[in-house]
Amino acid sequence: MPKDEFDPDDPMELIGVSLAGDFDEMAEGLVDDYILMGFDEEALWLLFRNPFYRSTNAVLQAKGEAYVSQLIRRRLLDWANLVANGQSGGHEIEDSQDGGSPTSAS
């Protein structure tokens, strides 16, 4: 079967599910993951504002810009403090070239 034809019985079809859990912890985890990939505040905002990124955009829609702004800044500060104190939680992270947010060392 060609890839462009829909098959309702395709066992390999990706299906998103919703899981119960704490919304704030999920949002923190998303931000942490992107920080560890090297995203700075500006790049994080692009993810939250872009509807293509459904999870981050859903946080923005549900909680608003003030919540997201506080979340991003708090998590960037938390990671910067961990780096400054040499406690990266097992992750190899270092300060970025511009002196801004922590980034993931590759």
Side-chain angles (χ1 to χ4, degrees):
M1 175 170 84
K3 291 183 179 183
D4 59 346
E5 289 183 26
F6 177 73
D7 180 5
D9 298 320
D10 183 359
M12 302 304 286
E13 178 184 5
L14 295 176
I15 299 173
V17 296
S18 178
L19 301 174
D22 185 89
F23 191 84
D24 294 328
E25 287 180 12
M26 182 270 307
E28 277 190 14
L30 286 169
V31 172
D32 286 349
D33 286 345
Y34 287 114
I35 289 171
L36 290 172
M37 287 188 272
F39 285 61
D40 62 8
E41 185 172 356
E42 182 180 346
L44 287 166
W45 269 112
L46 291 173
L47 294 176
F48 279 91
R49 289 190 174 120
N50 188 337
F52 179 77
Y53 297 96
R54 295 177 74 180
S55 295
T56 51
N57 189 255
V59 173
L60 177 61
Q61 297 304 316
K63 296 284 195 165
E65 287 202 14
Y67 173 87
V68 171
S69 179
Q70 180 184 29
L71 173 66
I72 290 172
R73 290 186 177 166
R74 181 171 43 86
R75 298 312 298 153
L76 285 169
L77 182 61
D78 287 348
W79 278 104
N81 287 335
L82 286 173
V83 170
N85 294 323
Q87 302 170 345
S88 61
H91 299 282
E92 293 183 35
I93 52 180
E94 58 191 37
D95 287 327
S96 64
Q97 296 294 336
D98 63 5
S101 64
T103 59
S104 175
S106 300

